Amino acid sequence: MTQNKVTTGQFYSLLYICSVVAAFMFVSTTVIDLGVTDAVLFPVVFGVLSLITIIPTFLFYKRSNGVSVLNAVSKSSKAFSNILAFSYSVLVFILLLRTLARLDLFVSSEIFPENTMTFLIVLIVIVSTALSLLDIGALSRASTIFLVLVTVTVSVVVASTFSNFDTINFVPLFMNGSEEFFKQALAYSMFFPESACLILFLSNIKGNIKKGYLAYILFLVLSLSTVAFTVVGVLGEFSNTQLFPAFAISSVGEFRVLERFESIQSSVWTVCIVAKTTFQIMIISNCIRHLFKKVKWWTPNVLVGIITTGFLLYISKGVTRFSFMSSQFQVTLTYILLVVVLPIIALLSILKQKRGDSLGNENS
């Protein structure tokens, strides 16, 4: 990855934007019931899971002396670092397609109903590709501004819907049993794999990454819990009939100063999604540059943009293709590979390298 330095606050602001956008782009599924009180606790389970699954990354950080995963692993095995780079590029590309496919559905169903707006999504891909040519520092610093916009937007939505809260929507917890609760909570958590990106940018971050990560998770859990609490309180079981439940609450709010606040909210989320897709294109392009050292610096970004556009046009033409991209199986598999498997493999690789270096020193 590039060596531009960012503070922990700036980098985690970017991760926060990427994560909270996933919540507002969450599409109602038959697997996860967002209309019951249990949904308010789903983010808490996600937070605990995030603190557990990040442990291999922190151990890797300690063992690699703050060197990002691809550079650290390449010191012991160039071939294995290439395998990691390829794996990350493919998995993040899947996340990129999922993000854009959901944006396509969101624009065509919520902003411009019954209209095909694929050309707008293609334009967003072009803009994101161009922005990905900037460094991680510029994107992270911009995300601190987006963080303020998101915080204000969420606060206004919650405040505007307060009068629509109905306590009857809050049924007792674990109505369907604790087993069903944890099943749904884990399925919910799978939609937030953004923490997997940390290991790719360890050498770019200055500051205490552990404290920064803890603050990021706490703030994210608080935000997601607030959104979930509002969805349950305002919509209840009705939320399961809404395509985008987290967005639907803005259309029922009563805010006297700003009418049709959902239009402003849509603009904010669109800008944040551009930041997220830019970040994802940046990751994929950097992985390609790691695989092919001699390519021109801008070539991977343009290539990713072109390939993404092609896949997006293919996905947008069929509901079944979109359903596959958002299926629980695909979401879960991507999460496990990105957040759990690859960091553990990277950690084992560097531990093996350290052990080999120790044995070599003893023999000498």
Side-chain angles (χ1 to χ4, degrees):
M1 297 296 164
T2 56
Q3 295 303 311
N4 298 285
K5 292 289 185 177
V6 296
T7 65
T8 52
Q10 292 169 343
F11 183 78
Y12 286 123
S13 292
L14 176 57
L15 284 193
Y16 174 84
I17 292 300
C18 294
S19 300
V20 79
V21 161
F24 275 84
M25 291 293 104
F26 187 90
V27 179
S28 293
T29 68
T30 57
V31 179
I32 305 171
D33 187 354
L34 295 179
V36 296
T37 313
D38 289 0
V40 180
L41 296 181
F42 289 170
V44 177
V45 176
F46 157 71
V48 173
L49 184 64
S50 298
L51 293 177
I52 294 173
T53 55
I54 201 64
I55 292 176
T57 296
F58 287 157
L59 293 176
F60 180 91
Y61 176 78
K62 182 178 180 180
R63 294 290 182 175
S64 67
N65 297 319
V67 178
S68 298
V69 61
L70 299 182
N71 292 332
V73 173
S74 63
K75 294 179 180 179
S76 59
S77 173
K78 179 61 178 177
F80 188 65
S81 70
N82 287 341
I83 293 175
L84 280 179
F86 177 77
S87 301
Y88 274 109
S89 62
V90 170
L91 293 172
V92 175
F93 182 70
I94 293 174
L95 296 184
L96 173 63
L97 290 180
R98 187 191 306 162
T99 301
L100 291 168
R102 291 194 172 202
L103 177 60
D104 191 5
L105 180 63
F106 174 74
V107 171
S108 59
S109 62
E110 300 291 346
I111 302 180
F112 301 104
E114 301 179 1
N115 288 291
T116 302
M117 300 301 296
T118 305
F119 77 92
L120 178 61
I121 311 303
V122 172
L123 179 61
I124 289 177
V125 173
I126 295 173
V127 172
S128 298
T129 301
L131 292 176
S132 70
L133 295 172
L134 301 175
D135 56 70
I136 185 64
L139 184 60
S140 297
R141 286 187 289 273
S143 295
T144 59
I145 300 175
F146 300 153
L147 175 61
V148 175
L149 292 176
V150 169
T151 303
V152 171
T153 301
V154 173
S155 300
V156 171
V157 169
V158 173
S160 66
T161 58
F162 184 77
S163 60
N164 298 91
F165 269 76
D166 193 341
T167 56
I168 199 174
N169 291 330
F170 293 95
V171 298
L173 291 169
F174 312 124
M175 285 281 289
N176 298 319
S178 58
E179 182 178 347
E180 181 64 21
F181 165 77
F182 282 107
K183 178 181 177 181
Q184 292 197 38
L186 289 175
Y188 171 89
S189 301
M190 300 297 107
F191 284 89
F192 304 96
E194 285 73 22
S195 60
C197 300
L198 175 61
I199 199 170
L200 293 166
F201 291 92
L202 292 175
S203 59
N204 299 91
I205 306 172
K206 54 183 179 182
N208 192 317
I209 66 165
K210 294 181 180 179
K211 290 183 179 179
Y213 185 81
L214 179 60
Y216 151 68
I217 289 297
L218 289 177
F219 187 49
L220 179 59
V221 169
L222 177 62
S223 301
L224 296 180
S225 297
T226 301
V227 172
F229 180 81
T230 306
V231 169
V232 174
V234 174
L235 300 179
E237 289 292 341
F238 182 68
S239 64
N240 293 320
T241 67
Q242 301 299 299
L243 191 58
F244 294 93
F247 177 79
I249 57 176
S250 63
S251 61
V252 301
E254 298 177 0
F255 198 71
R256 297 179 181 177
V257 179
L258 298 175
E259 295 182 359
R260 301 291 295 174
F261 184 76
E262 65 269 22
S263 300
I264 299 176
Q265 185 188 12
S266 300
S267 301
V268 172
W269 296 129
T270 301
V271 170
C272 291
I273 287 177
V274 170
K276 181 173 183 174
T277 54
T278 298
F279 185 46
Q280 291 169 334
I281 293 174
M282 188 179 294
I283 291 173
I284 301 167
S285 302
N286 285 336
C287 287
I288 294 175
R289 272 189 281 272
H290 182 84
L291 290 169
F292 305 99
K293 302 289 187 182
K294 296 182 179 181
V295 297
K296 295 182 179 179
W297 68 275
W298 52 267
T299 304
N301 303 69
V302 175
L303 181 64
V304 172
I306 294 173
I307 295 175
T308 300
T309 301
F311 270 92
L312 183 60
L313 292 175
Y314 175 76
I315 294 172
S316 65
K317 293 180 179 179
V319 176
T320 55
R321 298 163 190 169
F322 172 81
S323 299
F324 172 76
M325 290 301 303
S326 297
S327 67
Q328 191 62 48
F329 172 78
Q330 193 256 31
V331 169
T332 301
L333 180 61
T334 305
Y335 179 92
I336 292 175
L337 290 175
L338 264 176
V339 179
V340 180
V341 176
L342 290 184
I344 290 178
I345 291 177
L347 175 62
L348 293 176
S349 174
I350 201 167
L351 287 177
K352 181 179 179 181
Q353 174 193 343
K354 294 290 184 180
R355 183 180 178 184
D357 292 341
S358 299
L359 291 176
N361 293 332
E362 290 178 1
N363 292 333
S364 60

